[in-house]
Amino acid sequence: MTLDTVKHAAETPDTEQPWAELGLKQDEYARIRAILGRRPTGAELAMYSVMWSEHCSYKSSKVHLRQFGEKAPENDALLVGIGENAGVVDVGQNYAVTFKVESHNHPSYIEPYQGAATGIGGIVRDILAMGARPVAVMDPLRFGAADHPDTKRVLPGVVAGIGGYGNCLGLPNIGGEVVFDPCYQGNPLVNALCVGVMKHEDIHLAKASGTGNKVVLYGARTGGDGIGGVSVLASETFDSTGPAKRPAVQVGDPFQEKLLIECTLELFRENLVEGIQDLGGAGLSCATSELASAGSGGMRVELDTVPLRDATLSPEEILMSESQERMCAVVEPGKVDRFLEICEKWDVIATVIGEVTDGERLEIFWHGEQIVDVPPRTVAHEGPVYERPYARPEWQDALQSDDANRLPRPETDEELRAQVLKVISSPNQASKSWITGQYDRFVQGNTVLAQPEDSGMIRIDEETGLGVAVATDGNGRYTKLDPYAGARLALAESYRNVAATGARPLAISNCLNFGSPEDPGVMWQFAEATRGLADGCLELGTPVTGGNVSLYNQTGETAIHPTPVVAVLGVIDDVARRTPMAFSEEGQLLYLLGDTKEELGGSAWSQVVHDHLGGLPPAVDLDREKLLGEILISASRDGMIDAAHDLSDGGLVQAVAESCLRGGKGARLVVPDGLDAFTFLFSESAGRAVVAVPRSEELRFTDMCGARGLPATRIGVIDGESLDVQGHFGLPLAEVREAHEATIPALFA
Amino acid sequence: MARVVVDVMLKPEILDPQGQAVQRALPRLGFEGIADVRQGKRFELEVEGPVDDAALARIHEMAETFLANTVIEDFTVRVDS
Amino acid sequence: MARVVVDVMLKPEILDPQGQAVQRALPRLGFEGIADVRQGKRFELEVEGPVDDAALARIHEMAETFLANTVIEDFTVRVDS
Amino acid sequence: MTARVGVITFPGTLDDRDTQRAVRLAGLEPVPLWHRDKDLKQVDAVVLPGGFSYGDYLRAGAISRFSPVMETVIEQAKGGMPVLGICNGFQVLTETHLLPGAMLRNNHLHFICRDQKLRVENADTAWTADYAAGQEISVPLKNIDGRYVADERTLDELEAEGRVAFRYLDGNPNGSLRDIAGITNAAGNVVGLMPHPEHAVEPLIGTGRTDGLGFFTSLLKKLVSA
Ligand SMILES: Nc1ncnc2c1ncn2[C@@H]1O[C@H](COP(=O)(O)OP(=O)(O)O)[C@@H](O)[C@H]1O
Ligand SMILES: [Mg+2]
């Protein structure tokens, strides 16, 4: 069949095109025709269809995400904000840090190992594209029920994939989450975060400027990976005898990515890069249109020069291919030779595929014939925007009035003790070390803290000890009960985790995992959660620097719990001052910071003991979180505390058990006046942390809390080899350890 | 006892980083003239009892559901002579 | 182009936990009657030019020095029909 | 004059910069070496760091072994130059047959990352002289292909000649025969081990222990007194 050139398209306006199969709506197709003043060519149609997909265009979420900009707090630290591959934050001493979370949910369900592996690969390239050396990764994960047979397929594969890829890249994995809930059975969430470090002058942006500059594609050869629906198009416009099967699954090559990282950093060092973009979703379509759209001129690409792994690929398929481990750079003509030399040094294939033009169009040629002629902005940045209808679901009221505080509580100390063991050994509350032990947390030699600490902490300057801390959190149960509050709780928890290690929270990234935006109930959850998060960030003074949205996480009519995952990045001037979570010195005093109320809605206790989800989540007071954070940071800086652990799901008893196990020391707790033992142990009130204070610092510490108005209650002492709640029960540490650590290996090893 | 061999290879359209790494190394080691290398897995199964059609059908099913990941891999089953 | 297959298997005396893991899983999946499983590697080489004795000798050498580690592995070379 | 220690970077090496740091912290001068260069830049010793050279795609260490730099390393190692292979570097050394045996997939088939207790069995090598024989140390272990195997005769020989340099304590993490974590050649100049001493050189970082520094101070003593 003939090549569908621009000329041919103009001459054959009535040719039927498979826009619907490619996921475009009728009005979207009409809009493309209007933009171009003719029907699109096959290649153009392919580009618009992927770039206008929900995944690339954010068409359902955009109107809500705007708040992150509109409500952004004044903040001098933000060097690059939303809209680039990742946001960049000034952390002082001329260092800048970039970080971002992304999702690879669906691919990880289809092929857990490769889906998760390429999820790591993708987010690492985003960070690299900013000019930064990637220095750490994290992996917030959600799976179906822990004892469901399919979870046995998905979890080990995902964990091996994250480890397989990240370990091979030499990136320490410093934290993440593992949560089980039947709502994720057919839609596991595999979110991946990467942190990168650079000097201020090294920041790079994704834009193509400077007429005559060359466009260089480098990295892996292009194959038929992840093309999916576009093969439909290839078979319509091309000889249908070509290989019909195009894999929807991409296979990662971490070795190639490691070379790409070192090669790219060397290119940056020699100042050979004008603009740069990673190739991820939508491959070359995305990279060329985004580079051209953000730059000043146009771009001309000779598509037939792209190195291929499979010679039968059609131009449409080449444009769409999601082959991993590729980057695209804009390079001054005089620097191309040196650029190619460095690529050769690293065994990385590099090819000049085009150049920046002084026009305003993105023009793509195939063996000399023009197959694309579009205004790049219309592809990359001016896609459709939907104001999807949203409405509070009818069931929300009933859910909220099903109060968890009315659930039957343990009646005897015996029962209380049994429930403590039951909660800390439940899959969600149990130790995840069987999983995290499969990740390298030491590589690069800068890891100060890693899981199970409250946040991961990386040293970024050896001389001064400057470091950054990152935590990620999200609680789908809370968010289901109240999306607005749930998002704020996720933010609060992540913020608290960073502060607990002594770092000052600076900025936010997020991954918003929801069901179908075409369901008004889900859309309401999304609207509420984004509003909550944007308001919360304004109140805390921490701007959103970027993130990712993953929609359509649902099976049939049933959506996952709305799951905004919030990542907080903090800075610490000297990592020597970090606060670990371990209770390691006998005799130190334990203080509970914050107020404990009767708040059991969405709690771990309600899930584990009663399989219940109802009522309202704990109240959030962000001023209080801020105050708590200040206290934790000052106490760390001034050496007033030796350990800190934030309180979240599972409540106080969970936190104390974890800190005891980490330090190998027991604790004697006393239920404070005005609280019953059950509420003391299991309530999930926000804004709390437990700290270990050396006796010599007690006065100074309590004076500081008093002066600043933060409730600090002495609840016990580090002591012995058991976890005792005086007057109620005692648990030998060995029994606590067995309960906490045996669960996950028993399920998955 | 009879031996049945199941060979599992990545589908041709799927990237095979392992095979590529081997292929790229060959010229450096002085081996020319190898146009492509693919690396896969070989399972040798020792089967109790007769390897009749029923047994082979079961092994075929085993390969399809367990030994190979048919999202990305093809397999063949044969009796070892 | 001709294809030559090199099969590489762990020597019989070397513990093969991958094969064992497969074997242990089989009964749970409802597959009985497999007495032993060994897992190895299969390389498919696309050879340019004729696969004569000289070519096979070279491939044999390649297998011996590179594709297999003969401290722990045995290999076989054969032309794929 | 301080001694110069070459640290090789193969494609896919991960711990090269960390190893350079450890070398520096021990008071030696790190010299980066590139896999394509045969020239060792007149270094006094060489470290093959950890990582996944060539992705470990064929077998760990199998492809790197053939790199130009290794030609010189093999030659010089035979002439007595101190060579240390850590993790992937150890795998490269067994592939070159500078050290006997081979490394296979862990018996539990998973990557494992943990703080690992070891006993220094041989304190007479170029890299262990600063330890006492029998001393117990803890350094990070992180690998998926860490199971040391060799035939019985080789193992007996290693034992008899005192060439088992390190043994795992408190549980064998990967099924290595006779709990072997590292070995040395007969001359004591070539040493390989799976655990990572270069990741245990600073308080605060990693496990917070500095038990690994002795490898590098041992070398310094040897080179300076020589
Ligand atoms: N939930 C979100 N919050 C804030 N910014 C977001 C969110 N989702 C996406 N973004 C931002 O929108 C931009 C486009 O996202 P995306 O297309 O995923 O970028 P990339 O292709 O570089 O991964 C990015 O700057 C990203 O940070
Ligand atoms: Mg990007």
Side-chain angles (χ1 to χ4, degrees), chain A residues 111 247 249 251-253 309 347, chain B residues 13-15 17 24 69 71-72:
Chain A
E111 214 307 286
V249 174
V251 169
D253 180 353
R309 202 170 78 226
D347 293 324
Chain B
E13 66 271 20
I14 299 273
L15 174 70
R24 285 211 204 176
N69 174 353
V71 176
I72 50 175

Side-chain angles (χ1 to χ4, degrees), chain A residues 85 100 102 126 277-278:
Chain A
N85 284 311
K100 188 177 170 192
E102 261 194 2
D126 266 330
Q277 172 70 306
D278 58 292

Side-chain angles (χ1 to χ4, degrees), chain A residues 55-58 61 65 68 81-87 99-102 122-123 126 277-278 280-281 286 290 508-512 526 530 533 544-550:
Chain A
H55 177 70
C56 293
S57 73
Y58 293 86
S61 55
L65 296 181
F68 295 146
I82 296 182
E84 281 290 334
N85 284 311
F99 74 126
K100 188 177 170 192
V101 208
E102 261 194 2
I123 188 65
D126 266 330
Q277 172 70 306
D278 58 292
C286 178
E290 286 192 351
I508 309 296
S509 180
N510 66 76
C511 191
L512 305 174
F526 186 81
T530 42
L533 186 54
V544 174
T545 64
N548 181 247
V549 176
S550 173

Side-chain angles (χ1 to χ4, degrees), chain A residues 59-70:
Chain A
K59 56 190 170 190
S60 303
S61 55
K62 227 175 198 163
V63 294
H64 300 282
L65 296 181
R66 275 188 198 133
Q67 298 168 82
F68 295 146
E70 290 159 4

Side-chain angles (χ1 to χ4, degrees), chain A residues 477-514:
Chain A
R477 285 166 56 82
Y478 289 168
T479 314
K480 173 102 183 226
L481 296 179
D482 181 344
Y484 181 83
R488 291 161 65 84
L489 281 161
L491 171 66
E493 187 181 343
S494 195
Y495 186 97
R496 202 184 311 137
N497 273 313
V498 166
T501 59
R504 186 162 39 85
L506 268 190
I508 309 296
S509 180
N510 66 76
C511 191
L512 305 174
N513 306 277
F514 287 77

Side-chain angles (χ1 to χ4, degrees), chain A residues 558-583:
Chain A
T558 317
I560 60 165
H561 289 342
T563 312
V565 169
V566 179
V568 171
L569 174 101
V571 64
I572 182 164
D573 295 332
D574 182 359
V575 294
R577 302 249 58 107
R578 91 273 176 272
T579 311
M581 67 184 271
F583 293 165

